Amino acid sequence: IPVFVLAGLLVHCVFLVSIFDIYFSSPLVHGMTPQQTPLPPPAKRLVLFVADGLRADSLYELNSNDTSQAPYLRGILENNGSWGISHTRVPTESRPGHVALIAGFYEDVSAVAKGWKENPVEFDSVFNESKYTWSWGSPDILPMFAKGATGDHVYTFCYTAESEDFGAQDAAKLDIWVFDHVKSFFNSSRSNQTLFSALNEEKVVLFLHLLGIDTNGHAHRPNSREYKENIRKVDEGVKEIASMIDNFYGNDGKTAFILTSDHGMTDWGSHGAGHPSETLTPLIVWGAGVNYPQKVTSQFFEDNFLKEWKLENLKRLDVNQADIAPLMASLIGVPFPLNSVGTLPLEYLNNSAHFKAESMFTNAVQILEQFKVKMSQKKETTLSFLFTPFKPLSDSEQINFLKKTRLYIQQQKYDEAVSLCKTLINLALEGLSYYHTYDRLFLGLSIAMGFVGWTTYVILVIIKTHTNLSKTVQTNNKESTVLFYGFAFVGMIIAFFLLIQMCPWTYYIYCLLPVPVWYAVVRELPIIQDLAANLLSLQISQSLGFLLVCTLGIEILVFSFFYRSTLTIGLLVFAGWPVIIQLWVQAKTTALIWTLLCVLLAIFPSMPVVGREPNIPLVIAAGLLTLLISCFSLASLSKSENKYRNNEDLKVHFYQMLSIALSTYVVSTTHDSLKNKQGLPVLNQIISWMTLVSSSVLPLLSPTFLFQRLFSILLSLMSTYLLLSTGYEALFPLVLSGLMFVWINMEQEALQHYGLSLKPKLAVFNFAYATDITQFRQLHLDDVRRSFFFVFFIVTAFFGTGNIASVNSFDPASVYCFLTVFSPFMMGGLLVLKVVIPFVLVSCAFEAVQVTTQLSSKSLFLIVLVISDIMALHFFFLVKDYGSWLDIGTSISHYVLVMSLTIFMMLMNGLAQLLTTKRLKLPRRTKHHST
């Protein structure tokens, strides 16, 4: 059924991509006119320091002896400036963080797919609106603001990409590079007349991007000495730069300074999701036009940070990250960036009430402009009788608001004007979001219809081809022709509607997908009738009981995404399975080992998640244990009847053992070397990559007898897995594959228990000769349980190794044996590999179960597909784009994970067949006999 698998893959890819189109498409519109405050600005120039990856608590908290990690900045917020927390949004990555800071809008999640560095969309920014911008820092961030800028007025100075090395002596040198280059830049301007006069213009921005803190956080984690030391160095650097700039301009009091961060970081040194440690970043503003510290007696925030930081008496002014762009624009008097959705935080401004009211008015008009463009776009592409406008901001309402505000400003009722503007901004943002999500319900229903149709179709295929429930009935041709034309007609009507409304091409896919799927379902009507008749003849209690057990099983899987401990409970129930169905009577030892291994595996999901301290001795222990087991298996194999037929097989086995030993050595030496700040040894890196390449080929050289081939696959994957491990998860594949070996035996016993077939001898069972079609049997209810076991083990293989249900469940330390220089795609690929290895083990065992229980691999796989699709549908309805950023991030992660698991299972099915049945023959040297 290759056609069927391809169709399945295609359908699932559409389901996966749809989530981004429905919930997270680009919010940008084009065609607004720039808005600028008519009054003179307080500052001539602005210095923006962005300390990449700096958490709010890391900067504000005091050390044990009540001194600050950043004494200069602490002094600023106590004596000269305003401070607060800037709340960022998901995804907490450098690129979207900087776009929010400098352009004032939150980038859509789809930018992830296009890479963070390129501009997937052209956008306006404070830099673009300035007269000149000079920026220093990382090659990943600076170019994107220069690229989008019109004309030649944004200048960048970057270090090389190779400098961003997690294993280097100290990443703080990246920040020191920036500070030194800024100093030499100002010194050189004294002898360069054009540069000097450019620097003395108005509307100048200087941007210092400081990546050291982020790099140190990834390499050593935020609670480390290196991270804190780096904050101290940044504090000193900011102090030097600020005083140097003040001197350069003769202390004219026309410079504004802002220090903030693009995102925070989890305790285990990663970022991207919505945990408060990632979304809370510091904001300190001082200089021209900025308010002095405001003393207060009490202030209330839900988090209890103020007491910890001993800042209860200084007013904390929180903002959303996008509010910083309008703040910068109003300080130096440039037009607000066109796509900005930030609200100007007035409490930071130390200026006249008139200035504040005018600035707020500009802000409101600028956001209203976007609303108007968005509305007219939607109106153009929707049929007039289907268009429902956003009521609170009809054209007359808009004019009313603007007139009233203008009047208030003329009458000098500034406070009323400001509050009207705030109302208008909130309404315009609501309206923007209303039009942005205008088609959501309609698309969501289309996808849900497709989902349900597809799942129904798969169930029908199972019943039709793999059970004796249905009697094959010949459908008459006339009916099927009518059906075909009926569905074709519906499809054409839908396409026509989309065409009139000039919808994007993806809409056609989402809306037309249910048509062929449901056509396939309706064609199998006789089977549905047969099935209904069959079900009615069963006892109600039986069928209800079966349904109840199925539902419970799937809900347990869904629950495990929220609470990992559910898996522990599930595994303990598995441990009792032989007792429940009386299997242990006929196979006592097998059942006992099964129970023991289930209990052992149940420990893993309750272990601490990513973010634990690395525990290299455990990895080394796992390597040695693997070697021990392989020695035992060698001994037992040489005793058994099918001795290694030739020396070739022995060679492969020894090579795999050597590879495990090497991996263990590489892991221990690499982590020592990194601890001593000596970087990654080149020899280790070469061995690591060679192991990775060889591990995919070696199993194909081993004999295809069942246990030998599966053991060979385990050894090969284990050598790569050791290199990617940092703690207890190194032991996981061993326990998991132990359980898988026993599972194959248990399924044999279950077959006999139900009297379904004779027991083939597993010891001499050969994968290569297993695909004789005549022996396949029909499905039995017990096979639903087999498939459920497989899905359960796959989910356990994901969560058991300390992954969490989040995009963020990776620890950069895992890839240090392979590379330490920052490279998102390479690192991402290796981390995905780490997740996939346990999947491959489970898939190969499942393949063995299918073959030894005389089932065609398709039939069981189809049941697996049904189970995972029902799970995916659950998560599709749980996706949300409101509420806390933690919830939003989690809900997307869940859906993406389940869909990826389903797509992976399809690919794994093919991979497992390849790994178990194919055998590569090495060319043999032939001996010539002289006669």
Side-chain angles (χ1 to χ4, degrees):
I1 318 185
V3 179
F4 182 81
V5 173
L6 277 178
L9 273 175
L10 201 71
V11 168
H12 283 92
C13 289
V14 171
F15 289 158
L16 178 55
V17 175
S18 70
I19 192 83
F20 293 107
D21 244 1
I22 297 175
Y23 288 94
F24 309 99
S25 47
S26 171
L28 293 192
V29 285
H30 297 291
M32 290 79 62
T33 44
Q35 303 295 324
Q36 190 173 351
T37 313
L39 301 174
K44 277 186 170 182
R45 63 201 80 86
L46 174 95
V47 186
L48 172 65
F49 300 97
V50 177
D52 205 302
L54 174 60
R55 288 161 53 150
D57 54 347
S58 302
L59 180 69
Y60 293 138
E61 70 190 0
L62 298 172
N63 296 337
S64 47
N65 54 1
D66 271 5
T67 56
S68 170
Q69 203 54 52
Y72 173 72
L73 289 168
R74 181 78 179 199
I76 292 280
L77 72 89
E78 284 174 356
N79 309 315
N80 318 44
S82 294
W83 73 286
I85 286 180
S86 151
H87 297 262
T88 75
R89 284 203 192 173
V90 176
T92 42
E93 297 287 348
S94 294
R95 181 196 158 103
H98 280 89
V99 170
L101 284 173
I102 297 162
F105 69 91
Y106 301 104
E107 201 160 24
D108 59 311
V109 185
S110 63
V112 181
K114 298 167 184 159
W116 292 122
K117 303 181 188 180
E118 278 307 299
N119 269 8
V121 280
E122 291 299 316
F123 55 83
D124 188 24
S125 67
V126 174
F127 294 175
N128 188 32
E129 298 290 357
S130 68
K131 183 83 183 267
Y132 294 108
T133 294
W134 285 276
S135 54
W136 295 264
S138 153
D140 300 342
I141 296 298
L142 304 187
M144 70 180 186
F145 293 103
K147 196 180 153 192
T150 47
D152 184 22
H153 65 275
V154 178
Y155 304 101
T156 58
F157 305 95
C158 310
Y159 37 77
T160 59
E162 289 73 47
S163 318
E164 300 172 27
D165 187 343
F166 294 165
Q169 297 87 6
D170 189 12
K173 65 174 195 288
L174 299 177
D175 299 343
I176 289 162
W177 184 98
V178 170
F179 294 135
D180 291 349
H181 275 72
V182 175
K183 288 176 200 162
S184 61
F185 172 79
F186 272 91
N187 286 337
S188 68
S189 73
R190 294 181 196 277
S191 55
N192 177 341
Q193 195 47 52
T194 36
L195 180 56
F196 187 77
S197 56
L199 276 170
N200 279 291
E201 291 274 359
E202 292 183 353
K203 301 179 187 178
V204 165
V205 177
L206 304 165
F207 170 41
L208 284 70
H209 175 239
L210 309 166
L211 188 67
I213 295 180
D214 184 65
T215 311
N216 263 326
H218 284 310
H220 307 286
R221 306 199 156 102
N223 295 320
S224 62
R225 192 179 51 86
E226 288 85 353
Y227 186 85
K228 292 181 170 156
E229 190 55 31
N230 202 154
I231 295 177
R232 202 180 52 74
K233 285 183 180 158
V234 165
D235 184 63
E236 285 167 7
V238 169
K239 179 180 178 179
E240 287 171 15
I241 297 295
S243 74
M244 179 203 71
I245 286 176
D246 283 340
N247 291 339
F248 182 87
Y249 290 108
N251 294 336
D252 63 353
K254 287 285 182 191
T255 314
F257 296 93
I258 294 183
L259 177 126
T260 184
S261 159
D262 53 350
H263 55 75
M265 189 172 281
T266 56
D267 289 341
W268 60 90
S270 70
H271 50 83
H275 190 267
S277 60
E278 301 161 86
T279 57
L280 301 184
T281 58
L283 173 64
I284 301 178
V285 190
W286 72 100
V290 180
N291 243 338
Y292 288 108
Q294 302 164 51
K295 295 274 190 289
V296 284
T297 44
S298 70
Q299 46 182 340
F300 174 73
F301 285 93
E302 279 178 7
D303 52 47
N304 297 317
F305 286 138
L306 290 168
K307 212 175 185 103
E308 275 174 49
W309 301 338
K310 304 214 167 134
L311 289 169
E312 306 100 316
N313 305 333
L314 287 175
K315 190 159 187 187
R316 163 177 154 187
L317 309 169
D318 279 20
V319 300
N320 290 322
Q321 196 171 32
D323 301 344
I324 296 174
L327 175 64
M328 296 195 286
S330 95
L331 283 172
I332 53 171
V334 298
F336 288 41
L338 292 177
N339 294 106
S340 163
V341 294
T343 311
L344 180 65
L346 289 179
E347 294 178 289
Y348 277 89
L349 295 179
N350 175 16
N351 218 315
S352 66
H354 183 198
F355 181 84
K356 289 182 183 177
E358 283 287 2
S359 299
M360 248 355 237
F361 184 66
T362 309
N363 195 179
V365 172
Q366 170 257 327
I367 292 179
L368 190 63
E369 278 281 309
Q370 291 180 71
F371 168 78
K372 286 177 175 166
V373 172
K374 192 93 180 169
M375 179 170 133
S376 63
Q377 276 183 5
K378 211 45 271 113
K379 212 167 178 173
E380 277 167 26
T381 59
T382 312
L383 296 172
S384 51
F385 64 91
L386 288 175
F387 181 71
T388 39
F390 181 66
K391 296 278 187 315
L393 266 188
S394 57
D395 293 347
S396 54
E397 281 290 314
Q398 294 177 27
I399 296 167
N400 194 5
F401 264 113
L402 296 175
K403 272 189 179 161
K404 250 183 169 172
T405 316
R406 264 276 148 252
L407 192 66
Y408 278 145
I409 292 180
Q410 280 161 5
Q411 295 170 348
Q412 299 189 354
K413 294 185 183 167
Y414 298 127
D415 291 348
E416 288 91 332
V418 165
S419 74
L420 250 187
C421 287
K422 283 186 175 163
T423 316
L424 181 56
I425 287 176
N426 290 334
L427 279 177
L429 289 174
E430 251 176 71
L432 267 174
S433 145
Y434 170 83
Y435 286 121
H436 187 54
T437 60
Y438 192 79
D439 301 325
R440 176 169 304 171
L441 183 69
F442 154 69
L443 289 178
L445 283 173
S446 289
I447 292 292
M449 292 250 316
F451 246 124
V452 176
W454 166 258
T455 311
T456 317
Y457 176 62
V458 177
I459 293 175
L460 289 176
V461 170
I462 295 171
I463 290 168
K464 184 177 167 185
T465 49
H466 300 287
T467 61
N468 345 356
L469 284 180
S470 66
K471 309 161 204 41
T472 43
V473 192
Q474 284 296 315
T475 50
N476 65 23
N477 283 345
K478 197 168 181 193
E479 272 183 23
S480 55
T481 327
V482 172
L483 256 183
F484 177 75
Y485 283 119
F487 273 94
F489 182 63
V490 173
M492 282 165 73
I493 288 182
I494 295 176
F496 178 66
F497 252 87
L498 294 173
L499 194 68
I500 297 178
Q501 304 197 37
M502 299 189 291
C503 292
W505 61 273
T506 46
Y507 282 28
Y508 288 86
I509 299 177
Y510 303 145
C511 300
L512 290 174
L513 186 68
V515 178
V517 171
W518 279 100
Y519 168 63
V521 171
V522 177
R523 266 181 60 189
E524 309 292 356
L525 203 61
I527 295 179
I528 301 176
Q529 291 162 344
D530 257 13
L531 184 63
N534 266 327
L535 285 179
L536 290 173
S537 66
L538 286 174
Q539 290 171 340
I540 299 249
S541 59
Q542 265 187 323
S543 29
L544 276 180
F546 177 66
L547 269 176
L548 196 75
V549 171
C550 286
T551 320
L552 193 75
I554 288 178
E555 290 309 316
I556 281 183
L557 289 174
V558 170
F559 242 68
S560 66
F561 277 73
F562 298 97
Y563 308 101
R564 293 166 72 236
S565 49
T566 322
L567 291 172
T568 304
I569 299 164
L571 282 165
L572 293 176
V573 174
F574 278 14
W577 166 61
V579 182
I580 299 167
I581 65 159
Q582 301 284 302
L583 254 185
W584 62 283
V585 184
Q586 65 193 58
K588 289 200 170 55
T589 38
T590 318
L592 189 69
I593 299 174
W594 165 269
T595 307
L596 273 174
L597 283 170
C598 275
V599 172
L600 258 180
L601 195 65
I603 299 170
F604 283 94
S606 52
M607 296 285 269
V609 291
V610 282
R612 45 179 191 262
E613 281 304 300
N615 187 344
I616 301 305
L618 263 182
V619 183
I620 297 169
L624 297 176
L625 189 63
T626 316
L627 281 176
L628 197 69
I629 295 172
S630 47
C631 291
F632 270 119
S633 83
L634 244 186
S636 69
L637 275 175
S638 52
K639 281 199 193 102
S640 70
E641 55 266 36
N642 60 334
K643 286 207 168 59
Y644 273 90
R645 296 293 153 80
N646 52 28
N647 292 345
E648 304 290 324
D649 301 344
L650 263 178
K651 276 183 197 161
V652 172
H653 195 98
F654 277 128
Y655 185 77
Q656 287 181 314
M657 286 172 68
L658 174 72
S659 166
I660 296 266
L662 272 176
S663 295
T664 315
Y665 162 78
V666 167
V667 169
S668 69
T669 51
T670 302
H671 282 271
D672 283 348
S673 160
L674 289 177
K675 217 176 208 162
N676 305 333
K677 302 272 173 69
Q678 287 160 353
L680 168 63
V682 179
L683 178 68
N684 287 13
Q685 197 172 8
I686 295 170
I687 296 176
S688 297
W689 284 103
M690 280 172 64
T691 306
L692 178 66
V693 174
S694 68
S695 69
S696 52
V697 183
L698 278 176
L700 297 176
L701 297 172
S702 65
T704 49
F705 292 105
L706 186 113
F707 284 115
Q708 277 166 278
R709 175 51 72 96
L710 289 180
F711 193 70
S712 165
I713 291 171
L714 167 68
L715 284 186
S716 279
L717 294 177
M718 195 62 196
S719 55
T720 309
Y721 200 79
L722 284 170
L723 293 170
L724 291 165
S725 297
T726 56
Y728 70 80
E729 80 266 28
L731 294 161
F732 181 77
L734 286 178
V735 181
L736 180 70
S737 48
L739 186 60
M740 293 296 102
F741 281 131
V742 184
W743 182 34
I744 298 170
N745 283 315
M746 287 296 283
E747 290 297 359
Q748 281 305 302
E749 303 294 345
L751 262 194
Q752 272 181 297
H753 180 72
Y754 286 110
L756 288 175
S757 82
L758 298 165
K759 185 178 178 186
K761 276 193 85 174
L762 284 182
V764 291
F765 189 90
N766 195 328
F767 275 120
Y769 312 122
T771 46
D772 178 7
I773 296 291
T774 51
Q775 299 176 332
F776 288 152
R777 61 183 176 82
Q778 297 289 40
L779 284 173
H780 179 264
L781 267 188
D782 197 40
D783 295 322
V784 178
R785 176 199 52 77
R786 275 192 188 98
S787 308
F788 175 74
F789 269 31
F790 171 63
V791 180
F792 190 90
F793 286 136
I794 283 275
V795 174
T796 310
F798 182 75
F799 289 112
T801 51
N803 287 317
I804 47 180
S806 153
V807 196
N808 212 354
S809 76
F810 57 85
D811 181 349
S814 305
V815 299
Y816 288 169
C817 289
F818 292 92
L819 75 166
T820 53
V821 176
F822 179 65
S823 156
F825 292 108
M826 203 66 138
M827 288 183 167
L830 287 166
L831 291 162
V832 168
L833 179 73
K834 181 178 177 179
V835 171
V836 167
I837 286 176
F839 290 175
V840 178
L841 292 173
V842 177
S843 300
C844 289
F846 187 54
E847 181 67 23
V849 165
Q850 287 174 358
V851 174
T852 55
T853 54
Q854 294 167 339
L855 276 174
S856 74
S857 56
K858 313 231 174 26
S859 52
L860 273 194
F861 179 66
L862 291 176
I863 305 179
V864 167
L865 207 57
V866 173
I867 296 175
S868 51
D869 277 341
I870 297 173
M871 278 171 65
L873 195 57
H874 266 81
F875 288 113
F876 181 75
F877 287 117
L878 288 173
V879 169
K880 47 182 175 195
D881 65 335
Y882 56 87
S884 82
W885 278 101
L886 184 56
D887 298 346
I888 296 170
T890 312
S891 71
I892 308 167
S893 305
H894 283 175
Y895 181 70
V896 170
L897 270 177
V898 174
M899 285 312 286
S900 314
L901 278 184
T902 313
I903 293 172
F904 258 126
M905 280 187 223
M906 290 185 178
L907 299 173
M908 288 292 149
N909 202 33
L911 183 68
Q913 276 176 350
L914 179 94
L915 276 177
T916 50
T917 53
K918 292 280 175 285
R919 174 134 201 224
L920 297 176
K921 286 270 191 270
L922 287 175
R924 310 280 287 276
R925 286 196 296 277
T926 48
K927 294 177 182 158
H928 295 287
H929 295 286
S930 49
T931 46

